[in-house]
Amino acid sequence: SAVISQKPSRDICQRGTSLTIQCQVDSQVTMMFWYRQQPGQSLTLIATANQGSEATYESGFVIDKFPISRPNLTFSTLTVSNMSPEDSSIYLCSVEDRGLPNYEQYFGPGTRLTVT
Amino acid sequence: KQEVTQIPAALSVPEGENLVLNCSFTDSAIYNLQWFRQDPGKGLTSLLLIQSSQREQTSGRLNASLDKSSGRSTLYIAASQPGDSATYLCAVNSWGKLQFGAGTQVVVTP
């Protein structure tokens, strides 16, 4: 299984500012994803981070609000831009290695974001 | 669009009882189904993955079944312990994307 770390683990930010979350994996993986978990809710996929090209966003999420980078096969960043209190959530990075037959997904510990 | 439902939303049992958690999904065209555990304020821990061609998967006290044709999966946890208290999430992999249920919050009382 892959070991995933995220930075920061938590942050409290002022509205109107931006925060960049980092996701590091201990091995090269094919697929990386970013999810959001709003308070009391389940997980919602924000986008698929594609290595060397633009991320693929799900309905309701746009690049201007959630720009994503993936410079290589072990690292990705998600930026939450121009934040509002509604952006207060846990943001999770996940990976899937399609080199393995199971296509199992593994998740990082999450970044707990509070916007005041 | 795939929809995933988990019943019950919350469950409280005394230590030693078996737990039965249900997950249903609307589109049977799935690649696999994963069960996760989430502790408060934490990330997700993968418990079991069942491929669409499998009927069940076991790991220790955990057993998960899958009936793809009826769109159902059940997670059984035998002889529950207080350390099993957490939220359990079911996620269906359709077309390379995970669709999550809302979860079942489990409390095991000593």
Side-chain angles (χ1 to χ4, degrees):
Chain A
S1 66
V3 177
I4 306 164
S5 59
Q6 285 185 233
K7 290 181 182 178
S9 59
R10 58 176 60 224
D11 207 341
I12 301 173
C13 300
Q14 302 272 359
R15 71 170 66 210
T17 62
S18 298
L19 176 71
T20 296
I21 302 167
Q22 299 180 4
C23 177
Q24 179 75 53
V25 191
D26 68 341
S27 59
Q28 293 186 342
V29 293
T30 313
M31 307 294 289
M32 294 182 79
F33 306 92
W34 287 98
Y35 288 82
R36 179 177 74 181
Q37 186 176 30
Q38 295 176 298
Q41 306 287 320
S42 192
L43 280 75
T44 301
L45 179 63
I46 298 172
T48 303
N50 300 309
Q51 194 264 328
S53 64
E54 201 168 277
T56 305
Y57 290 84
E58 297 300 304
S59 175
F61 297 95
V62 296
I63 187 171
D64 290 346
K65 176 67 176 177
F66 297 102
I68 288 171
S69 78
R70 189 172 175 198
N72 56 52
L73 293 176
T74 64
F75 185 79
S76 178
T77 66
L78 168 74
T79 299
V80 186
S81 303
N82 188 24
M83 288 183 284
S84 67
E86 292 70 36
D87 294 319
S88 297
S89 298
I90 298 175
Y91 292 86
L92 298 111
C93 166
S94 80
V95 304
E96 178 185 287
D97 190 346
R98 294 193 174 172
L100 298 175
N102 286 345
Y103 287 26
E104 188 167 359
Q105 281 199 23
Y106 300 95
F107 282 77
T111 295
R112 180 182 287 273
L113 171 61
T114 302
V115 183
T116 60
Chain B
K1 181 190 171 186
Q2 180 74 270
E3 292 185 4
V4 182
T5 303
Q6 290 188 246
I7 294 173
L11 186 58
S12 181
V13 299
E15 181 178 3
E17 271 200 16
N18 297 332
L19 288 163
V20 180
L21 310 179
N22 298 297
C23 172
S24 61
F25 48 95
T26 55
D27 185 351
S28 62
I30 68 170
Y31 190 79
N32 60 43
L33 184 147
Q34 274 185 265
W35 283 94
F36 294 91
R37 169 187 171 134
Q38 185 175 32
D39 293 286
K42 305 290 186 182
L44 275 65
T45 301
S46 180
L47 298 174
L48 288 169
L49 178 145
I50 312 177
Q51 299 285 11
S52 63
S53 58
Q54 295 178 315
R55 298 283 293 184
E56 71 178 323
Q57 193 68 249
T58 298
S59 176
R61 294 184 296 112
L62 276 60
N63 174 276
S65 66
L66 174 65
D67 184 342
K68 199 174 70 165
S69 61
S70 67
R72 294 180 184 176
S73 177
T74 302
L75 178 67
Y76 301 90
I77 303 177
S80 61
Q81 305 168 357
D84 294 328
S85 298
T87 297
Y88 292 83
L89 295 162
C90 160
V92 173
N93 188 329
S94 300
W95 306 105
K97 298 177 183 178
L98 286 187
Q99 183 71 37
F100 281 84
T104 295
Q105 187 173 12
V106 171
V107 174
V108 181
T109 55

mmCIF file of all heavy atoms in Angstrom, chain A residues 33 35 37 42-43 45 58 90 92 96 98 101-105 107-109 112, chain B residues 31-32 34 36 38 41-44 46 49 51 89 93 96-98 100-102:
data_model
loop_
_atom_site.group_PDB
_atom_site.id
_atom_site.type_symbol
_atom_site.label_atom_id
_atom_site.label_comp_id
_atom_site.label_asym_id
_atom_site.label_seq_id
_atom_site.Cartn_x
_atom_site.Cartn_y
_atom_site.Cartn_z
ATOM 1 N N PHE A 33 -5.984 11.983 -6.628
ATOM 2 C CA PHE A 33 -7.286 12.635 -6.558
ATOM 3 C C PHE A 33 -7.324 13.574 -5.354
ATOM 4 O O PHE A 33 -6.633 13.365 -4.362
ATOM 5 C CB PHE A 33 -8.407 11.600 -6.386
ATOM 6 C CG PHE A 33 -8.425 10.513 -7.418
ATOM 7 C CD1 PHE A 33 -7.747 9.323 -7.209
ATOM 8 C CD2 PHE A 33 -9.145 10.662 -8.591
ATOM 9 C CE1 PHE A 33 -7.756 8.302 -8.141
ATOM 10 C CE2 PHE A 33 -9.165 9.645 -9.534
ATOM 11 C CZ PHE A 33 -8.475 8.464 -9.326
ATOM 12 N N TYR A 35 -10.238 15.234 -2.670
ATOM 13 C CA TYR A 35 -11.611 15.161 -2.197
ATOM 14 C C TYR A 35 -11.846 16.260 -1.157
ATOM 15 O O TYR A 35 -10.922 16.716 -0.491
ATOM 16 C CB TYR A 35 -11.884 13.810 -1.519
ATOM 17 C CG TYR A 35 -11.972 12.635 -2.455
ATOM 18 C CD1 TYR A 35 -10.824 12.002 -2.911
ATOM 19 C CD2 TYR A 35 -13.209 12.135 -2.854
ATOM 20 C CE1 TYR A 35 -10.911 10.907 -3.753
ATOM 21 C CE2 TYR A 35 -13.297 11.036 -3.695
ATOM 22 C CZ TYR A 35 -12.149 10.426 -4.144
ATOM 23 O OH TYR A 35 -12.227 9.341 -4.971
ATOM 24 N N GLN A 37 -14.426 17.031 2.249
ATOM 25 C CA GLN A 37 -15.416 16.508 3.178
ATOM 26 C C GLN A 37 -15.890 17.664 4.044
ATOM 27 O O GLN A 37 -15.190 18.101 4.963
ATOM 28 C CB GLN A 37 -14.843 15.385 4.045
ATOM 29 C CG GLN A 37 -15.881 14.713 4.914
ATOM 30 C CD GLN A 37 -15.321 13.547 5.697
ATOM 31 O OE1 GLN A 37 -14.156 13.525 6.047
ATOM 32 N NE2 GLN A 37 -16.167 12.542 5.970
ATOM 33 N N SER A 42 -20.246 13.347 3.715
ATOM 34 C CA SER A 42 -19.315 12.360 3.184
ATOM 35 C C SER A 42 -18.346 13.039 2.211
ATOM 36 O O SER A 42 -18.340 14.261 2.081
ATOM 37 C CB SER A 42 -20.088 11.252 2.487
ATOM 38 O OG SER A 42 -19.231 10.165 2.211
ATOM 39 N N LEU A 43 -17.543 12.246 1.553
ATOM 40 C CA LEU A 43 -16.518 12.787 0.668
ATOM 41 C C LEU A 43 -17.069 13.069 -0.718
ATOM 42 O O LEU A 43 -17.852 12.277 -1.251
ATOM 43 C CB LEU A 43 -15.355 11.798 0.533
ATOM 44 C CG LEU A 43 -14.335 11.780 1.660
ATOM 45 C CD1 LEU A 43 -14.888 11.085 2.893
ATOM 46 C CD2 LEU A 43 -13.053 11.114 1.200
ATOM 47 N N LEU A 45 -15.607 14.138 -4.619
ATOM 48 C CA LEU A 45 -14.421 14.273 -5.471
ATOM 49 C C LEU A 45 -14.368 15.668 -6.077
ATOM 50 O O LEU A 45 -15.343 16.118 -6.694
ATOM 51 C CB LEU A 45 -14.458 13.217 -6.586
ATOM 52 C CG LEU A 45 -13.309 13.225 -7.584
ATOM 53 C CD1 LEU A 45 -11.980 12.917 -6.898
ATOM 54 C CD2 LEU A 45 -13.574 12.221 -8.709
ATOM 55 N N GLU A 58 -14.557 17.849 -11.390
ATOM 56 C CA GLU A 58 -15.921 17.334 -11.326
ATOM 57 C C GLU A 58 -16.908 18.499 -11.405
ATOM 58 O O GLU A 58 -16.539 19.665 -11.189
ATOM 59 C CB GLU A 58 -16.134 16.551 -10.032
ATOM 60 C CG GLU A 58 -15.255 15.319 -9.930
ATOM 61 C CD GLU A 58 -15.497 14.328 -11.062
ATOM 62 O OE1 GLU A 58 -16.660 13.905 -11.248
ATOM 63 O OE2 GLU A 58 -14.525 13.984 -11.764
ATOM 64 N N ILE A 90 -12.556 19.280 5.488
ATOM 65 C CA ILE A 90 -11.341 18.464 5.447
ATOM 66 C C ILE A 90 -11.062 18.179 3.972
ATOM 67 O O ILE A 90 -11.953 17.742 3.233
ATOM 68 C CB ILE A 90 -11.504 17.156 6.223
ATOM 69 C CG1 ILE A 90 -11.784 17.447 7.699
ATOM 70 C CG2 ILE A 90 -10.244 16.301 6.086
ATOM 71 C CD1 ILE A 90 -12.088 16.195 8.518
ATOM 72 N N LEU A 92 -8.815 15.964 1.374
ATOM 73 C CA LEU A 92 -8.055 14.712 1.377
ATOM 74 C C LEU A 92 -7.500 14.414 0.001
ATOM 75 O O LEU A 92 -8.188 14.577 -1.011
ATOM 76 C CB LEU A 92 -8.941 13.554 1.816
ATOM 77 C CG LEU A 92 -9.498 13.644 3.235
ATOM 78 C CD1 LEU A 92 -10.995 13.860 3.216
ATOM 79 C CD2 LEU A 92 -9.176 12.388 4.026
ATOM 80 N N GLU A 96 -4.296 6.049 -6.456
ATOM 81 C CA GLU A 96 -4.689 4.739 -6.965
ATOM 82 C C GLU A 96 -3.583 4.288 -7.898
ATOM 83 O O GLU A 96 -3.172 5.044 -8.780
ATOM 84 C CB GLU A 96 -5.997 4.847 -7.735
ATOM 85 C CG GLU A 96 -6.486 3.552 -8.350
ATOM 86 C CD GLU A 96 -7.723 3.786 -9.198
ATOM 87 O OE1 GLU A 96 -8.809 4.025 -8.637
ATOM 88 O OE2 GLU A 96 -7.600 3.748 -10.438
ATOM 89 N N ARG A 98 -2.750 1.993 -10.729
ATOM 90 C CA ARG A 98 -3.342 1.086 -11.726
ATOM 91 C C ARG A 98 -2.328 0.083 -12.253
ATOM 92 O O ARG A 98 -2.650 -0.706 -13.144
ATOM 93 C CB ARG A 98 -3.977 1.901 -12.846
ATOM 94 C CG ARG A 98 -5.142 2.689 -12.313
ATOM 95 C CD ARG A 98 -6.025 3.289 -13.346
ATOM 96 N NE ARG A 98 -7.176 3.900 -12.693
ATOM 97 C CZ ARG A 98 -8.065 4.650 -13.316
ATOM 98 N NH1 ARG A 98 -7.945 4.884 -14.606
ATOM 99 N NH2 ARG A 98 -9.074 5.173 -12.656
ATOM 100 N N PRO A 101 -3.595 -4.893 -9.790
ATOM 101 C CA PRO A 101 -4.872 -5.342 -10.368
ATOM 102 C C PRO A 101 -6.100 -4.845 -9.632
ATOM 103 O O PRO A 101 -7.181 -4.845 -10.191
ATOM 104 C CB PRO A 101 -4.766 -6.871 -10.284
ATOM 105 C CG PRO A 101 -3.796 -7.136 -9.193
ATOM 106 C CD PRO A 101 -2.825 -6.006 -9.227
ATOM 107 N N ASN A 102 -5.951 -4.441 -8.377
ATOM 108 C CA ASN A 102 -7.152 -4.153 -7.595
ATOM 109 C C ASN A 102 -7.704 -2.746 -7.777
ATOM 110 O O ASN A 102 -8.844 -2.504 -7.448
ATOM 111 C CB ASN A 102 -6.871 -4.384 -6.113
ATOM 112 C CG ASN A 102 -6.783 -5.849 -5.776
ATOM 113 O OD1 ASN A 102 -7.201 -6.691 -6.562
ATOM 114 N ND2 ASN A 102 -6.239 -6.156 -4.618
ATOM 115 N N TYR A 103 -6.890 -1.804 -8.228
ATOM 116 C CA TYR A 103 -7.288 -0.402 -8.336
ATOM 117 C C TYR A 103 -7.757 0.132 -6.975
ATOM 118 O O TYR A 103 -8.682 0.927 -6.887
ATOM 119 C CB TYR A 103 -8.422 -0.199 -9.352
ATOM 120 C CG TYR A 103 -8.008 -0.336 -10.787
ATOM 121 C CD1 TYR A 103 -6.918 -1.109 -11.168
ATOM 122 C CD2 TYR A 103 -8.721 0.301 -11.788
ATOM 123 C CE1 TYR A 103 -6.541 -1.228 -12.497
ATOM 124 C CE2 TYR A 103 -8.365 0.183 -13.130
ATOM 125 C CZ TYR A 103 -7.275 -0.583 -13.464
ATOM 126 O OH TYR A 103 -6.920 -0.701 -14.775
ATOM 127 N N GLU A 104 -7.093 -0.315 -5.906
ATOM 128 C CA GLU A 104 -7.469 0.150 -4.583
ATOM 129 C C GLU A 104 -7.001 1.581 -4.389
ATOM 130 O O GLU A 104 -5.917 1.965 -4.836
ATOM 131 C CB GLU A 104 -6.842 -0.751 -3.522
ATOM 132 C CG GLU A 104 -7.313 -0.480 -2.100
ATOM 133 C CD GLU A 104 -6.912 -1.592 -1.149
ATOM 134 O OE1 GLU A 104 -6.291 -2.571 -1.600
ATOM 135 O OE2 GLU A 104 -7.226 -1.475 0.049
ATOM 136 N N GLN A 105 -7.825 2.375 -3.712
ATOM 137 C CA GLN A 105 -7.448 3.756 -3.420
ATOM 138 C C GLN A 105 -7.029 3.889 -1.959
ATOM 139 O O GLN A 105 -7.628 3.286 -1.071
ATOM 140 C CB GLN A 105 -8.605 4.716 -3.709
ATOM 141 C CG GLN A 105 -8.768 5.030 -5.174
ATOM 142 C CD GLN A 105 -9.585 6.288 -5.445
ATOM 143 O OE1 GLN A 105 -9.709 7.177 -4.611
ATOM 144 N NE2 GLN A 105 -10.142 6.356 -6.650
ATOM 145 N N PHE A 107 -5.837 6.820 1.073
ATOM 146 C CA PHE A 107 -6.056 8.222 1.411
ATOM 147 C C PHE A 107 -5.001 8.757 2.363
ATOM 148 O O PHE A 107 -4.491 8.023 3.216
ATOM 149 C CB PHE A 107 -7.439 8.393 2.053
ATOM 150 C CG PHE A 107 -8.550 8.381 1.057
ATOM 151 C CD1 PHE A 107 -8.997 7.199 0.503
ATOM 152 C CD2 PHE A 107 -9.139 9.566 0.652
ATOM 153 C CE1 PHE A 107 -10.019 7.189 -0.437
ATOM 154 C CE2 PHE A 107 -10.166 9.568 -0.282
ATOM 155 C CZ PHE A 107 -10.598 8.376 -0.828
ATOM 156 N N GLY A 108 -4.720 10.033 2.203
ATOM 157 C CA GLY A 108 -3.867 10.727 3.138
ATOM 158 C C GLY A 108 -4.634 11.060 4.404
ATOM 159 O O GLY A 108 -5.846 10.840 4.491
ATOM 160 N N PRO A 109 -3.936 11.644 5.402
ATOM 161 C CA PRO A 109 -4.570 11.941 6.694
ATOM 162 C C PRO A 109 -5.518 13.137 6.646
ATOM 163 O O PRO A 109 -6.263 13.367 7.597
ATOM 164 C CB PRO A 109 -3.382 12.221 7.599
ATOM 165 C CG PRO A 109 -2.309 12.689 6.670
ATOM 166 C CD PRO A 109 -2.502 11.931 5.397
ATOM 167 N N ARG A 112 -7.369 19.751 7.684
ATOM 168 C CA ARG A 112 -8.579 20.363 8.240
ATOM 169 C C ARG A 112 -8.466 21.865 8.120
ATOM 170 O O ARG A 112 -7.607 22.480 8.742
ATOM 171 C CB ARG A 112 -8.764 19.956 9.698
ATOM 172 C CG ARG A 112 -10.006 20.561 10.339
ATOM 173 C CD ARG A 112 -10.121 20.155 11.809
ATOM 174 N NE ARG A 112 -10.498 18.774 11.964
ATOM 175 C CZ ARG A 112 -11.748 18.333 11.981
ATOM 176 N NH1 ARG A 112 -12.744 19.175 11.836
ATOM 177 N NH2 ARG A 112 -12.005 17.048 12.166
ATOM 178 N N TYR B 31 -16.569 -1.277 -10.857
ATOM 179 C CA TYR B 31 -15.314 -2.005 -10.968
ATOM 180 C C TYR B 31 -14.978 -2.707 -9.665
ATOM 181 O O TYR B 31 -14.536 -3.847 -9.640
ATOM 182 C CB TYR B 31 -14.173 -1.077 -11.388
ATOM 183 C CG TYR B 31 -12.937 -1.846 -11.730
ATOM 184 C CD1 TYR B 31 -12.816 -2.472 -12.962
ATOM 185 C CD2 TYR B 31 -11.900 -1.995 -10.809
ATOM 186 C CE1 TYR B 31 -11.690 -3.216 -13.276
ATOM 187 C CE2 TYR B 31 -10.774 -2.734 -11.115
ATOM 188 C CZ TYR B 31 -10.678 -3.346 -12.353
ATOM 189 O OH TYR B 31 -9.570 -4.090 -12.653
ATOM 190 N N ASN B 32 -15.143 -2.002 -8.565
ATOM 191 C CA ASN B 32 -14.955 -2.599 -7.244
ATOM 192 C C ASN B 32 -15.693 -1.778 -6.202
ATOM 193 O O ASN B 32 -16.300 -0.738 -6.516
ATOM 194 C CB ASN B 32 -13.471 -2.739 -6.881
ATOM 195 C CG ASN B 32 -12.735 -1.409 -6.843
ATOM 196 O OD1 ASN B 32 -13.249 -0.423 -6.323
ATOM 197 N ND2 ASN B 32 -11.500 -1.390 -7.346
ATOM 198 N N GLN B 34 -15.128 -0.491 -2.025
ATOM 199 C CA GLN B 34 -14.233 -0.440 -0.872
ATOM 200 C C GLN B 34 -14.995 -0.039 0.370
ATOM 201 O O GLN B 34 -15.882 0.836 0.310
ATOM 202 C CB GLN B 34 -13.105 0.589 -1.100
ATOM 203 C CG GLN B 34 -11.901 0.062 -1.836
ATOM 204 C CD GLN B 34 -10.768 1.068 -1.926
ATOM 205 O OE1 GLN B 34 -10.632 1.789 -2.901
ATOM 206 N NE2 GLN B 34 -9.923 1.090 -0.909
ATOM 207 N N PHE B 36 -14.229 1.673 4.075
ATOM 208 C CA PHE B 36 -13.243 2.473 4.786
ATOM 209 C C PHE B 36 -13.716 2.718 6.209
ATOM 210 O O PHE B 36 -14.908 2.726 6.503
ATOM 211 C CB PHE B 36 -13.053 3.852 4.124
ATOM 212 C CG PHE B 36 -12.445 3.827 2.756
ATOM 213 C CD1 PHE B 36 -13.248 3.745 1.632
ATOM 214 C CD2 PHE B 36 -11.075 3.911 2.594
ATOM 215 C CE1 PHE B 36 -12.693 3.755 0.361
ATOM 216 C CE2 PHE B 36 -10.502 3.918 1.330
ATOM 217 C CZ PHE B 36 -11.318 3.835 0.209
ATOM 218 N N GLN B 38 -13.236 5.731 9.222
ATOM 219 C CA GLN B 38 -12.765 7.085 9.474
ATOM 220 C C GLN B 38 -12.986 7.417 10.948
ATOM 221 O O GLN B 38 -14.108 7.371 11.449
ATOM 222 C CB GLN B 38 -13.496 8.116 8.601
ATOM 223 C CG GLN B 38 -12.925 9.521 8.757
ATOM 224 C CD GLN B 38 -13.554 10.531 7.821
ATOM 225 O OE1 GLN B 38 -14.722 10.435 7.478
ATOM 226 N NE2 GLN B 38 -12.765 11.516 7.380
ATOM 227 N N GLY B 41 -12.174 13.479 12.700
ATOM 228 C CA GLY B 41 -11.167 14.447 12.287
ATOM 229 C C GLY B 41 -9.965 13.854 11.577
ATOM 230 O O GLY B 41 -8.970 14.551 11.361
ATOM 231 N N LYS B 42 -10.059 12.606 11.192
ATOM 232 C CA LYS B 42 -8.923 11.917 10.572
ATOM 233 C C LYS B 42 -9.203 11.546 9.120
ATOM 234 O O LYS B 42 -10.317 11.736 8.616
ATOM 235 C CB LYS B 42 -8.597 10.633 11.351
ATOM 236 C CG LYS B 42 -8.351 10.848 12.829
ATOM 237 C CD LYS B 42 -7.063 11.580 13.082
ATOM 238 C CE LYS B 42 -6.764 11.644 14.572
ATOM 239 N NZ LYS B 42 -5.532 12.404 14.857
ATOM 240 N N GLY B 43 -8.170 10.990 8.477
ATOM 241 C CA GLY B 43 -8.327 10.500 7.117
ATOM 242 C C GLY B 43 -9.010 9.136 7.100
ATOM 243 O O GLY B 43 -9.562 8.690 8.091
ATOM 244 N N LEU B 44 -8.967 8.493 5.947
ATOM 245 C CA LEU B 44 -9.645 7.209 5.752
ATOM 246 C C LEU B 44 -8.650 6.055 5.769
ATOM 247 O O LEU B 44 -7.571 6.157 5.181
ATOM 248 C CB LEU B 44 -10.369 7.201 4.411
ATOM 249 C CG LEU B 44 -11.772 7.809 4.364
ATOM 250 C CD1 LEU B 44 -11.750 9.284 4.653
ATOM 251 C CD2 LEU B 44 -12.406 7.546 3.022
ATOM 252 N N SER B 46 -8.401 2.153 4.586
ATOM 253 C CA SER B 46 -9.053 1.134 3.770
ATOM 254 C C SER B 46 -9.140 -0.171 4.555
ATOM 255 O O SER B 46 -8.142 -0.651 5.099
ATOM 256 C CB SER B 46 -8.257 0.909 2.476
ATOM 257 O OG SER B 46 -8.883 -0.067 1.677
ATOM 258 N N LEU B 49 -11.448 -4.383 0.118
ATOM 259 C CA LEU B 49 -11.826 -4.077 -1.256
ATOM 260 C C LEU B 49 -12.381 -5.345 -1.877
ATOM 261 O O LEU B 49 -11.765 -6.415 -1.756
ATOM 262 C CB LEU B 49 -10.621 -3.576 -2.059
ATOM 263 C CG LEU B 49 -10.869 -3.254 -3.532
ATOM 264 C CD1 LEU B 49 -10.020 -2.074 -3.977
ATOM 265 C CD2 LEU B 49 -10.600 -4.449 -4.439
ATOM 266 N N GLN B 51 -13.620 -6.894 -5.496
ATOM 267 C CA GLN B 51 -13.728 -6.730 -6.937
ATOM 268 C C GLN B 51 -15.151 -7.075 -7.384
ATOM 269 O O GLN B 51 -15.848 -7.832 -6.722
ATOM 270 C CB GLN B 51 -12.744 -7.662 -7.656
ATOM 271 C CG GLN B 51 -11.296 -7.406 -7.332
ATOM 272 C CD GLN B 51 -10.743 -6.170 -8.014
ATOM 273 O OE1 GLN B 51 -11.487 -5.370 -8.583
ATOM 274 N NE2 GLN B 51 -9.442 -5.992 -7.939
ATOM 275 N N LEU B 89 -17.400 3.963 5.980
ATOM 276 C CA LEU B 89 -17.819 4.484 4.680
ATOM 277 C C LEU B 89 -17.701 3.408 3.614
ATOM 278 O O LEU B 89 -16.703 2.681 3.549
ATOM 279 C CB LEU B 89 -16.958 5.683 4.287
ATOM 280 C CG LEU B 89 -17.083 6.926 5.171
ATOM 281 C CD1 LEU B 89 -15.904 7.852 4.955
ATOM 282 C CD2 LEU B 89 -18.375 7.653 4.859
ATOM 283 N N ASN B 93 -16.515 2.119 -6.905
ATOM 284 C CA ASN B 93 -15.650 2.567 -7.991
ATOM 285 C C ASN B 93 -16.366 2.338 -9.322
ATOM 286 O O ASN B 93 -16.522 1.212 -9.774
ATOM 287 C CB ASN B 93 -14.326 1.805 -7.960
ATOM 288 C CG ASN B 93 -13.305 2.355 -8.942
ATOM 289 O OD1 ASN B 93 -13.658 2.874 -10.002
ATOM 290 N ND2 ASN B 93 -12.040 2.242 -8.600
ATOM 291 N N GLY B 96 -13.610 4.495 -12.746
ATOM 292 C CA GLY B 96 -12.378 5.041 -12.180
ATOM 293 C C GLY B 96 -12.571 6.067 -11.096
ATOM 294 O O GLY B 96 -11.596 6.624 -10.589
ATOM 295 N N LYS B 97 -13.822 6.344 -10.700
ATOM 296 C CA LYS B 97 -14.068 7.343 -9.667
ATOM 297 C C LYS B 97 -14.819 6.706 -8.509
ATOM 298 O O LYS B 97 -15.701 5.878 -8.705
ATOM 299 C CB LYS B 97 -14.897 8.492 -10.227
ATOM 300 C CG LYS B 97 -14.227 9.236 -11.358
ATOM 301 C CD LYS B 97 -15.142 10.316 -11.912
ATOM 302 C CE LYS B 97 -14.486 11.002 -13.100
ATOM 303 N NZ LYS B 97 -15.369 12.020 -13.693
ATOM 304 N N LEU B 98 -14.453 7.117 -7.295
ATOM 305 C CA LEU B 98 -15.138 6.616 -6.108
ATOM 306 C C LEU B 98 -16.338 7.491 -5.780
ATOM 307 O O LEU B 98 -16.224 8.718 -5.704
ATOM 308 C CB LEU B 98 -14.191 6.602 -4.906
ATOM 309 C CG LEU B 98 -13.109 5.535 -4.857
ATOM 310 C CD1 LEU B 98 -12.394 5.567 -3.523
ATOM 311 C CD2 LEU B 98 -13.675 4.153 -5.108
ATOM 312 N N PHE B 100 -18.996 7.920 -2.732
ATOM 313 C CA PHE B 100 -19.120 7.531 -1.337
ATOM 314 C C PHE B 100 -20.553 7.587 -0.839
ATOM 315 O O PHE B 100 -21.349 8.436 -1.267
ATOM 316 C CB PHE B 100 -18.278 8.465 -0.454
ATOM 317 C CG PHE B 100 -16.813 8.151 -0.456
ATOM 318 C CD1 PHE B 100 -15.993 8.634 -1.462
ATOM 319 C CD2 PHE B 100 -16.254 7.371 0.535
ATOM 320 C CE1 PHE B 100 -14.634 8.339 -1.477
ATOM 321 C CE2 PHE B 100 -14.900 7.083 0.536
ATOM 322 C CZ PHE B 100 -14.099 7.568 -0.471
ATOM 323 N N GLY B 101 -20.869 6.669 0.089
ATOM 324 C CA GLY B 101 -22.076 6.815 0.864
ATOM 325 C C GLY B 101 -21.844 7.808 1.993
ATOM 326 O O GLY B 101 -20.718 8.267 2.221
ATOM 327 N N ALA B 102 -22.909 8.109 2.716
ATOM 328 C CA ALA B 102 -22.833 9.100 3.796
ATOM 329 C C ALA B 102 -22.206 8.533 5.065
ATOM 330 O O ALA B 102 -21.835 9.294 5.960
ATOM 331 C CB ALA B 102 -24.215 9.649 4.102
#
